[in-house]
Amino acid sequence: MHGRVKVKSTAQQEEEKRKEREKKLKAFVSARDAVLRKRSAGEHDEEALQLTQQLLSSNPDFATLWNYRREVLLQLETSREKDEVQKLYESELHFIEACLKVNPKSYGCWHHRSWVNTRLPQPDWTRELGLCDRCLSLDERNFHCWDYRRVVVKESGVSVEQELQFTDRLIGSNFSNYSSWHYRSTLLPQLHPQPAPDSIHSHRVCEEQLLKEYELAHNAFFTDPNDQSAWFYYRWLLGRGVCVCSLCLSQAQSEGLMLVLDGQPQQVEWRSTHPRLRHSPVWLCDLPPGSVSDISNEHNLTVHWTEKYTHRDCALYTGCAESWCRDSATDQELFRSELSVEKSSVLQAELQSCNQLLELEPQNKWCLLTIILLMRALDPLGHEKETLAHFQTLKEVDPMRSSYYSDLCSKFLIENTILKMEYAEVRVFSLSNKNLTTLCHLDQLLLVTHINLSSNQLLRLPPQFAMLQCLEVLEADDNAIESLEGLYHLPKLEEVSLRNNRILFAIQSKCFIRNPFSAFRASAWFDLVSRSQYSSLINSYRLCRIMEGQQI
Amino acid sequence: MGTQVKDVVIKPEAPNTLLLDKHADYIAAYGSKKDDYEYTLSEYLRMSGIYWGLTVMDLMGQLSRMNREEIIEFIKSCQHDCGGISASTGHDPHLLYTLSAVQILSLYDSINVIDVDKVVDYVKGLQQEDGSFAGDKWGEIDTRFSFCAVATLALLGKLDVINMDKAVGFVLSCMNFDGGFGCRPGSESHAGQIYCCTGFLSITGQLHQVNADLLGWWLCERQLPSGGLNGRPEKLPDVCYSWWVLASLKIIGRIHWIDKAKLRSFILACQDEETGGFADRPGDMVDPFHTLFGVAGLSLLGDEQIKPVNPVFCMPEDVLQRIGLQPDLLN
């Protein structure tokens, strides 16, 4: 079904081909019918082995025949001594190897081989490893063979170090090494498991290996800058230190979170910020009525996340309307991993080398992207300008993936703005005129009161936007916004400006709505709007500028 | 210089318009010559072959040209005592063909011609201790079968019979350094497996466990200069990856990371103007498998001459709406 070229031939050639196929077909059909007849008759004998052998050699995907063969072998086992069974299955291995020569990618073949090894009184794992070596030397990307090799390695106790050396050899001598790099990515964690947070020494060993891996990947892509597998692997190495703290609670979230007020556990219902967000980093609850009515006293709240054995405390001080406790984005190194001095200097050297490579290969998109990633790992704010310039170049040299680069650049700009906001200790998020194509990390904007996203290329305010529970003012003029799903029950939102977008209700005139129930001029428009899905939103806002410039 | 990029070159005379009528004629006639060589040799997957043909015909609005009664009788004759369904009469049951059969019967709104409870028992019985699914009683494990299991049960409205947590746990254990998924834990990422795993996670409501940005990048890097998509790094493009890769991207909300115009040109170039149908790449022999995935890919790209296709089930959206199945997609 794959890779069969359509060849034009003469009428005579066509006729010859047709006759040939007719002959082949007849032979196949008669052999197939004979086998299935035998099986129906419950015959499990040598003849069955012979007939299936004939067919399977050129039709190894005919799974039912392998099944029949297994039934026959199991039957024959019952009447044989152990050493005869050994011979029986060794001969089977011989047959399978012949099939594999014809078709090295048949699921049926490889599975049957695994099955035979479970029946062999004495499997020979050394031989099996040899088979894998030979097979991979012919096609290093044969994933069936790699999967089989993993079984052989496990059964025979080959060491992780040995297998790492095996990948070293392949990577050193070959192109098209993705399978080897992938295998390495699975071997390393076995060799150097993730260290416990309080164990200093194992952390150093882990980092030592990591730095070796940088060198290995570096050597590969400096030998051949178009060897994409090494670049993929390198990106993984760069991300290895990042602690992705995903607060993903299951649907039964009320069991996972417990609220304690002034020492008393509270009966509360947790809800997501938006009905479409069933798995969310942000959860809301209302305190029981009257529980914090006395504002002349200080109140202490604790939220326990029982699944992760952790909690956070927060004090609501006298006379205060709001309070919070949060882990700072800068302290926690939320967007990048903490770098030791060693790692930092290694990455600095890597950045230099990559810049040199870029001078030789200015069109190499892998190099450009890697430079961006290295800069982010070292100093995201310091390298912001260069990063933006590199993204521009990336879109020029690799235009098929422009959307990806735009989204990735947007993500990094948002991360930088969050960091700047933290350092400045303000609650205003401003990113206008920055070619933003997407929004992310919205869970980090929970405390933001003012947000300016004007003059970008946003297409929507997604459901996640509902996490901006403290938002008072939204400016998002001059985008391409079609959907306002995320403007859902934002309790503090008072001012909304969404001019020059693509919100889908028919608007002819511009107008302000100060009080939706009073202005007669606005009523005709309001009538129209109230029939739209956004009526409940519009009702909520003290000042709402949506109408101007909407394209339908 | 080192590695050259493996790719194809599309000839200027390659087809560049959609020849829907020719494809419908090709599928309608396929298999009518029961003594055809390719046809007979592919008997071991006949049930899937029928599913490919029927689905593409339905997407083209031509389902009525197929022989409904004959197919339904055929499926009935393929259900075994254990409940499982085989690819053809006289062949052994397997999860792959059980899914295909259930998909066909869903298209025809005739699910009750088979013993549904027994199908459910068969699927349930194939789940292993570690949450994985075997393809049949002979024990081959593969995330493809995890997908087949949950897709089958979802279409029958019986997802609750399996151990969901363990099933999810197993699939997640197959997630790799690049965000992709392989056959088994430790297996290399492959677009076909990624489709099965993202489809699985969609059906089971666990898409939030996917690293969508990382996987989306790996997937959009499947697009080659010709515009076609390959299945993993440094392989040739193939029209069936227009489905496996594209559907995966759609499921994780990153389909806009592909250059749609270039992909469309590649897919159209894979058509055979003489015979109808699509081949894996321009100039090769056509078959129903690549025909379905070429057309389905074009549907995902927004071609209005084709019915909308569901990226998880690879079935027309209107069929799934009728059943009431709307699996989650990431935005």
Side-chain angles (χ1 to χ4, degrees):
Chain A
M1 270 194 312
H2 289 88
R4 295 171 314 149
V5 187
K6 183 173 169 174
V7 181
K8 282 230 161 284
S9 46
T10 65
Q12 191 189 10
Q13 284 170 326
E14 286 292 324
E15 181 58 23
E16 277 171 22
K17 211 163 79 174
R18 194 193 65 78
K19 282 214 175 100
E20 173 79 33
R21 292 185 128 198
E22 204 179 301
K23 216 174 90 178
K24 266 187 167 170
L25 190 62
K26 261 186 138 175
F28 173 83
V29 168
S30 94
R32 176 201 68 192
D33 290 347
V35 168
L36 295 181
R37 250 194 322 265
K38 242 183 122 56
R39 195 182 191 210
S40 300
E43 291 165 23
H44 294 101
D45 52 26
E46 290 282 356
E47 196 196 4
L49 288 181
Q50 278 158 33
L51 286 174
T52 51
Q53 178 163 332
Q54 234 186 303
L55 283 165
L56 283 167
S57 312
S58 42
N59 305 279
D61 290 328
F62 194 149
T64 301
L65 296 180
W66 289 115
N67 297 349
Y68 184 28
R69 220 175 152 79
R70 283 188 277 270
E71 288 165 2
V72 173
L73 289 165
L74 286 172
Q75 179 66 40
L76 293 175
E77 262 188 62
T78 61
S79 59
R80 304 214 174 167
E81 296 296 320
K82 203 160 157 207
D83 60 325
E84 285 177 319
V85 172
Q86 179 75 16
K87 283 211 195 77
L88 177 69
Y89 283 116
E90 278 175 357
S91 154
E92 190 67 4
L93 287 178
H94 200 70
F95 166 57
I96 298 168
E97 196 166 338
C99 287
L100 285 174
K101 282 207 172 78
V102 174
N103 187 343
K105 296 183 187 178
S106 165
Y107 285 99
C109 253
W110 287 102
H111 175 246
H112 190 62
R113 197 172 185 94
S114 288
W115 181 86
V116 166
N117 279 309
T118 67
R119 303 308 305 174
L120 259 176
Q122 275 168 298
D124 183 351
W125 297 116
T126 313
R127 175 192 51 210
E128 295 310 298
L129 202 63
L131 170 72
C132 290
D133 286 344
R134 283 197 308 280
C135 188
L136 291 175
S137 71
L138 291 170
D139 178 4
E140 201 235 296
R141 302 299 302 285
N142 186 332
F143 66 79
H144 301 271
C145 186
W146 280 106
D147 288 349
Y148 185 69
R149 190 190 179 90
R150 278 179 265 275
V151 171
V152 170
V153 159
K154 183 171 175 219
E155 292 296 330
S156 59
V158 172
S159 73
V160 174
E161 284 86 357
Q162 222 172 309
E163 286 299 274
L164 276 172
Q165 277 168 29
F166 178 68
T167 62
D168 276 333
R169 283 202 302 279
L170 285 180
I171 288 166
S173 62
N174 237 344
F175 300 118
S176 193
N177 296 306
Y178 200 93
S179 305
S180 299
W181 288 110
H182 162 79
Y183 194 28
R184 263 192 111 75
S185 79
T186 67
L187 293 169
L188 286 183
Q190 291 176 51
L191 196 61
H192 300 286
Q194 280 294 333
D198 53 357
S199 169
I200 312 160
H201 297 293
S202 47
H203 175 75
R204 286 201 66 208
V205 172
C206 186
E207 177 162 296
E208 206 178 294
Q209 184 66 39
L210 197 64
L211 298 179
K212 275 198 209 144
E213 294 300 310
Y214 280 126
E215 199 185 327
L216 204 65
H218 169 119
N219 289 340
F221 56 70
F222 271 82
T223 309
D224 175 17
N226 292 312
D227 177 6
Q228 54 182 284
S229 13
W231 295 105
F232 270 103
Y233 189 74
Y234 197 75
R235 181 168 191 173
W236 173 66
L237 293 174
L238 284 177
R240 271 268 287 173
V242 176
C243 165
V244 179
C245 180
S246 58
L247 288 151
C248 280
L249 299 177
S250 69
Q251 238 161 321
Q253 73 276 4
S254 53
E255 291 161 22
L257 293 173
M258 196 178 70
L259 180 70
V260 176
L261 172 64
D262 297 330
Q264 300 292 334
Q266 302 292 314
Q267 268 286 80
V268 293
E269 286 224 348
W270 293 96
R271 65 182 188 280
S272 176
T273 52
H274 191 289
R276 281 196 58 194
L277 296 177
R278 278 186 296 254
H279 301 276
S280 173
V282 179
W283 293 95
L284 308 173
C285 75
D286 295 319
L287 294 175
S291 51
V292 225
S293 51
D294 180 9
I295 56 160
S296 59
N297 275 335
E298 184 179 300
H299 296 280
N300 290 294
L301 286 122
T302 304
V303 178
H304 293 264
W305 186 10
T306 51
E307 209 179 282
K308 302 278 174 180
Y309 305 106
T310 191
H311 68 278
R312 292 290 183 276
D313 303 304
C314 185
L316 183 62
Y317 298 112
T318 329
C320 284
E322 61 177 7
S323 178
W324 64 84
C325 151
R326 72 181 287 245
D327 302 332
S328 151
T330 51
D331 286 346
Q332 260 219 321
E333 303 279 44
L334 201 63
F335 305 127
R336 64 186 182 124
S337 59
E338 199 185 309
L339 296 178
S340 66
V341 170
E342 283 160 16
K343 189 168 172 187
S344 188
S345 65
V346 165
L347 292 185
Q348 198 57 61
E350 292 288 325
L351 180 57
Q352 256 184 312
S353 306
C354 283
N355 276 318
Q356 283 163 3
L357 180 59
L358 191 63
E359 278 173 48
L360 298 171
E361 306 229 341
Q363 308 269 307
N364 188 316
K365 63 129 184 250
W366 303 107
C367 193
L368 277 161
L369 182 60
T370 302
I371 286 170
I372 291 171
L373 297 172
L374 279 164
M375 291 196 296
R376 289 209 71 70
L378 286 163
D379 181 4
L381 288 174
H383 288 291
E384 186 175 289
K385 247 184 153 176
E386 284 170 82
T387 301
L388 291 175
H390 282 322
F391 267 117
Q392 193 47 46
T393 316
L394 261 177
K395 287 194 246 190
E396 286 159 24
V397 308
D398 188 13
M400 282 198 302
R401 276 159 280 270
S402 317
S403 280
Y404 170 68
Y405 297 127
S406 294
D407 281 4
L408 188 63
C409 187
S410 300
K411 181 174 177 180
F412 291 159
L413 281 170
I414 290 170
E415 288 175 4
N416 282 6
T417 308
I418 289 171
L419 291 172
K420 287 178 202 169
M421 217 174 51
E422 290 266 332
Y423 284 124
E425 293 181 352
V426 297
R427 293 169 69 178
V428 173
F429 185 98
S430 186
L431 226 113
S432 73
N433 200 16
K434 291 281 193 287
N435 296 312
L436 282 188
T437 50
T438 191
L439 295 172
C440 56
H441 297 309
L442 291 170
D443 55 304
Q444 295 294 314
L445 304 186
L446 179 56
L447 295 176
V448 166
T449 55
H450 287 63
I451 191 166
N452 185 353
L453 298 167
S454 302
S455 304
N456 282 301
Q457 289 150 43
L458 298 171
L459 297 174
R460 53 205 294 252
L461 297 181
Q464 286 82 356
F465 202 83
M467 295 195 273
L468 275 64
Q469 290 287 305
C470 298
L471 194 66
E472 296 167 17
V473 176
L474 164 65
E475 287 176 88
D477 305 311
D478 301 294
N479 277 280
I481 296 172
E482 292 174 6
S483 160
L484 300 174
E485 267 189 289
L487 280 195
Y488 183 94
H489 289 170
L490 292 177
K492 299 269 186 80
L493 188 58
E494 294 186 337
E495 293 186 27
V496 172
S497 193
L498 285 159
R499 291 171 291 187
N500 297 320
N501 275 290
R502 289 201 190 134
I503 297 158
L504 292 176
F505 34 87
I507 303 307
Q508 301 307 319
S509 57
K510 63 177 183 181
C511 56
F512 290 169
I513 301 240
R514 288 192 187 281
N515 181 334
F517 297 106
S518 68
F520 181 79
R521 267 183 314 152
S523 68
W525 167 83
F526 179 74
D527 222 8
L528 201 84
V529 167
S530 65
R531 275 183 260 122
S532 82
Q533 56 191 298
Y534 303 108
S535 61
S536 60
L537 295 166
I538 309 301
N539 284 340
S540 319
Y541 307 127
R542 184 174 63 79
L543 175 63
C544 183
R545 295 187 292 239
I546 291 187
M547 313 341 301
E548 300 125 86
Q550 297 303 336
Q551 299 162 51
I552 298 150
Chain B
M1 232 299 252
T3 32
Q4 302 295 336
V5 175
K6 261 168 123 166
D7 197 3
V8 300
V9 177
I10 300 178
K11 300 200 176 112
E13 61 267 20
N16 57 14
T17 56
L18 183 54
L19 310 163
L20 236 35
D21 289 334
K22 284 210 96 75
H23 304 316
D25 290 342
Y26 166 69
I27 298 290
Y30 189 85
S32 58
K33 294 184 281 108
K34 297 281 196 282
D35 57 350
D36 176 78
Y37 185 70
E38 303 294 339
Y39 185 80
T40 310
L41 256 59
S42 62
E43 190 184 82
Y44 72 88
L45 54 69
R46 183 65 61 238
M47 195 61 74
S48 295
I50 294 173
Y51 153 72
W52 300 327
L54 292 183
T55 305
V56 72
M57 289 300 265
D58 196 352
L59 288 175
M60 297 189 288
Q62 303 279 318
L63 187 59
S64 56
R65 287 169 72 174
M66 307 303 278
N67 194 331
R68 178 169 190 247
E69 282 65 42
E70 189 182 67
I71 290 166
I72 290 181
E73 283 311 302
F74 173 72
I75 294 176
K76 280 157 83 171
S77 77
C78 289
Q79 183 166 31
H80 291 241
D81 290 337
C82 61
I85 299 173
S86 54
S88 185
T89 2
H91 291 242
D92 290 347
H94 196 283
L95 254 185
L96 291 169
Y97 310 114
T98 304
L99 172 61
S100 292
V102 169
Q103 285 173 304
I104 295 165
L105 293 175
S106 299
L107 285 182
Y108 278 144
D109 198 5
S110 300
I111 203 68
N112 291 307
V113 305
I114 49 166
D115 187 336
V116 169
D117 290 335
K118 288 212 107 175
V119 171
V120 172
D121 285 341
Y122 176 72
V123 174
K124 180 180 174 167
L126 289 170
Q127 185 167 31
Q128 310 296 304
E129 273 301 309
D130 62 359
S132 67
F133 283 85
D136 64 11
K137 71 184 198 188
W138 296 102
E140 185 188 358
I141 305 296
D142 192 318
T143 47
R144 285 180 297 152
F145 308 146
S146 299
F147 173 76
C148 289
V150 298
T152 303
L153 294 175
L155 287 168
L156 300 175
K158 293 281 170 66
L159 264 178
D160 51 329
V161 305
I162 53 166
N163 185 329
M164 192 61 82
D165 286 344
K166 285 206 153 168
V168 171
F170 176 76
V171 168
L172 293 178
S173 75
C174 298
M175 195 187 296
N176 295 318
F177 78 101
D178 47 25
F181 297 83
C183 307
R184 296 183 272 282
S187 300
E188 184 184 340
S189 300
H190 180 282
Q193 307 295 146
I194 289 168
Y195 164 77
C196 290
C197 293
T198 52
F200 173 96
L201 293 170
S202 164
I203 292 169
T204 57
Q206 297 290 314
L207 276 173
H208 61 284
Q209 312 259 24
V210 172
N211 186 337
D213 285 343
L214 186 62
L215 177 56
W217 178 55
W218 190 93
L219 287 169
C220 79
E221 283 291 348
R222 296 307 105 239
Q223 190 163 32
L224 295 165
S226 63
L229 307 178
N230 61 18
R232 49 186 177 135
E234 291 172 303
K235 292 279 173 175
L236 286 169
D238 182 329
V239 115
C240 67
Y241 292 115
S242 308
W243 177 258
W244 310 124
V245 173
L246 213 59
S248 302
L249 281 169
K250 181 78 185 179
I251 292 169
I252 65 172
R254 307 289 194 267
I255 198 172
H256 60 290
W257 286 356
I258 282 280
D259 184 323
K260 292 186 179 179
K262 287 203 92 176
L263 177 58
R264 183 181 164 85
S265 315
F266 176 85
I267 298 175
L268 292 177
C270 292
Q271 297 173 107
D272 186 318
E273 281 168 321
E274 277 181 278
T275 60
F278 290 72
D280 56 351
R281 44 194 83 98
D284 277 4
M285 302 282 291
V286 304
D287 59 54
F289 174 83
H290 291 98
T291 304
L292 167 61
F293 296 122
V295 170
L298 290 171
S299 173
L300 276 185
L301 288 175
D303 191 305
E304 290 180 348
Q305 295 174 273
I306 307 165
K307 277 196 197 173
V309 68
N310 181 278
V312 172
F313 289 91
C314 193
M315 290 164 66
E317 283 285 11
D318 58 15
V319 173
L320 292 167
Q321 259 159 46
R322 189 216 322 129
I323 299 176
L325 262 185
Q326 290 294 286
D328 280 341
L329 306 179
L330 288 180
N331 42 258

